[in-house]
Amino acid sequence: MAAGTITLFGGSGFIGRYVVQRLAEKGWVIRVAVRHPVRAKFLKPLGNVGQIVPIACDLTEDRQVRAALEGADAAVNFVGILFERGAQSFGAVQHEGARRAATIAAELGISDFVQLSAIGADPEGAAEYARSKGAGEAAVRAAIPRARILRPSIVFGPEDGFFNRFAAIARLAPALPLIGGGKTRFQPVYVADVADAVMRCLEDPATAGRTFELGGPAVLTFEELMELMLREIHRRRLLVPLPFWAAEIQGSLLEKLPIIDPPLTRDQVELLKSDNVVGAGAEGLEALGITPHALEVILPTYLDRYRPGGRFATGDHLTTA
């Protein structure tokens, strides 16, 4: 579709910022709808004056969602959480929030809607994260049959919360845990490739009503990912297998800590019991005309700061939507 006005729920987060840049280059007027708009001001230099507009919006509030969508031509929902805190529950954010955004968009005549979900999303899944993502997908599709749904595996890039987290831990800790023995398989996908997928969904009418699972060119176990990360940051650390039952005990304790980002929860342990790879027969990046970038090519561009003597600024990899 031609450039117009677009609303990005959670647009200041890890993936959203890359989409904002691409949309700005295409001439879109971009509403970055987030709970804390002050934290999204860093995006404004990516576009012309008045082109990128951060606005306050909580997906649990009908009035705020409607205000964010009124007059828009398209919308993308990036909002997701990895753990629950107070009113920010999986059901409220990833199911009801997605349903609210899509339902109100439909009422306003917006049919170009992209929902960022995750591989493993399943209303009947074992983990609450997966169930809420699956329920959110179903709600979006019920409200807007033409909606595009994107399901990435773990997403990597300079601001990611995966490799940065474990590399930071490896700077100080003598060992890293391999939950479930580290045998869970992943198919890491580069954040720029995910952003390109969002753009193809917005630009190509043939993508309407379809679901795409996004993975990179390689499938690696959690153990192999840790080994790759350690090689890249030039550090040797013990990789210690941790049975699922022991990880669940740790998660039950850590999730109760009064901190913003607990290192592990029971629901995350449950997720690790299933592989996180593109399903057989699923449409992926290739169906969108995108050649995925290799993990080994991108990691050196941002993990070098964790090497002995390397540049490292505490918190420079963290983002808040």
Side-chain angles (χ1 to χ4, degrees):
M1 62 182 297
T5 297
I6 188 168
T7 299
L8 304 184
F9 295 104
S12 66
F14 175 35
I15 301 172
R17 64 179 60 192
Y18 286 82
V19 176
V20 167
Q21 183 175 24
R22 285 158 173 71
L23 290 167
E25 292 170 352
K26 296 283 188 176
W28 287 81
V29 174
I30 306 153
R31 298 173 182 168
V32 183
V34 291
R35 287 192 298 148
H36 306 289
V38 171
R39 300 178 188 174
K41 286 186 176 180
F42 74 92
L43 295 169
K44 297 179 76 171
L46 296 177
N48 298 320
V49 175
Q51 185 181 13
I52 301 170
V53 185
I55 59 175
C57 180
D58 188 327
L59 273 184
T60 65
E61 298 291 337
D62 283 20
R63 179 182 56 81
Q64 294 183 22
V65 172
R66 186 173 295 276
L69 286 168
E70 285 180 338
D73 301 293
V76 183
N77 179 27
F78 295 102
V79 178
I81 57 175
L82 292 175
F83 52 88
E84 299 178 306
R85 275 289 182 268
Q88 295 293 300
S89 68
F90 289 128
V93 175
Q94 298 184 160
H95 175 199
E96 288 301 321
R99 180 199 60 76
R100 182 173 291 105
T103 299
I104 294 176
E107 291 173 359
L108 295 173
I110 301 170
S111 61
D112 287 301
F113 191 102
V114 180
Q115 170 72 11
L116 260 290
S117 185
I119 285 179
D122 181 357
E124 305 299 324
E128 179 59 26
Y129 174 89
R131 290 198 298 273
S132 62
K133 281 287 190 180
E137 287 185 5
V140 167
R141 188 73 84 203
I144 305 177
R146 287 175 48 84
R148 289 80 160 165
I149 294 173
L150 298 178
R151 296 175 173 173
S153 183
I154 56 171
V155 182
F156 67 90
E159 306 85 5
D160 71 49
F162 185 82
F163 288 105
N164 279 296
R165 176 189 288 265
F166 286 106
I169 293 173
R171 291 177 65 244
L172 304 173
L176 296 174
L178 297 177
I179 297 174
K183 303 307 178 185
T184 307
R185 298 186 307 150
F186 296 88
Q187 196 168 347
V189 60
Y190 183 36
V191 62
D193 294 334
V194 177
D196 287 341
V198 173
M199 294 301 296
R200 295 291 171 86
C201 286
L202 291 170
E203 295 169 344
D204 185 357
T207 61
R210 293 160 68 184
T211 297
F212 301 90
E213 296 197 349
L214 312 182
V219 173
L220 300 167
T221 65
F222 185 83
E223 182 177 16
E224 290 170 333
L225 291 176
M226 292 300 97
E227 291 172 343
L228 177 60
M229 178 273 296
L230 289 170
R231 287 197 300 272
E232 186 54 48
I233 66 174
H234 300 170
R235 296 181 186 273
R236 298 180 67 181
R237 295 292 185 266
L238 291 174
L239 296 176
V240 182
L242 183 67
F244 283 123
W245 65 264
E248 288 169 353
I249 293 174
Q250 285 194 4
S252 68
L253 298 173
L254 294 171
E255 68 188 24
K256 294 181 174 64
L257 294 177
I259 57 178
I260 295 176
D261 187 1
L264 186 68
T265 68
R266 284 171 294 177
D267 202 67
Q268 290 168 357
V269 174
E270 193 63 48
L271 282 173
L272 286 170
K273 294 178 182 179
S274 300
D275 289 338
N276 195 268
V277 300
V278 174
E283 291 193 288
L285 288 171
E286 292 77 8
L288 292 166
I290 299 169
T291 301
H293 288 75
L295 181 63
E296 294 83 355
V297 173
I298 303 299
L299 279 186
T301 67
Y302 67 96
L303 285 190
D304 59 338
R305 60 191 174 197
Y306 296 97
R307 295 171 182 168
R311 178 188 63 81
F312 179 83
T314 301
D316 64 357
H317 59 281
L318 300 179
T319 63
T320 302

